[in-house]
Amino acid sequence: MKETLNYKIKAIAANIRSTREQLNYTQEYLAAKLNISQNAYSKIELGYTKITVERLFQIAGILEVDVHALINTEKVAAA
């Protein structure tokens, strides 16, 4: 169970990163929009920091995607 949860956290982090990169946004840009440091944002993308639902919605809003696009771990498994 714990391994599955860790996989999903990493998959969501990877979805956030790939979506950001597709938009050519920098980590600094997202960090500024979230009012956090670039280092703190980097930890989100690496899956080191567990994010709240509120933070997930904020990130989805900045990236202009539905939250489902970020939490869909099946597309990462297929990659």
Side-chain angles (χ1 to χ4, degrees):
M1 169 97 172
K2 187 173 183 176
E3 290 146 9
T4 302
L5 182 59
N6 285 336
Y7 165 78
K8 289 183 179 187
I9 290 169
K10 296 284 188 188
I12 292 168
N15 288 343
I16 292 170
R17 181 179 185 152
S18 66
T19 304
R20 176 185 60 78
E21 289 175 342
Q22 288 172 9
L23 295 169
N24 292 319
Y25 289 168
T26 64
Q27 287 187 347
E28 291 83 4
Y29 174 77
L30 257 80
K33 289 286 198 177
L34 294 168
N35 201 27
I36 60 175
S37 70
Q38 182 275 328
N39 188 41
Y41 180 78
S42 176
K43 289 178 181 179
I44 291 172
E45 282 193 2
L46 292 170
Y48 296 160
T49 301
K50 293 179 182 160
I51 58 175
T52 63
V53 173
E54 179 181 3
R55 180 71 78 201
L56 184 63
F57 275 96
Q58 289 172 337
I59 292 170
I62 295 165
L63 296 175
E64 299 178 2
V65 296
D66 191 80
V67 172
H68 294 100
L70 300 180
I71 63 172
N72 180 6
T73 57
E74 292 177 15
K75 71 178 181 180
V76 174

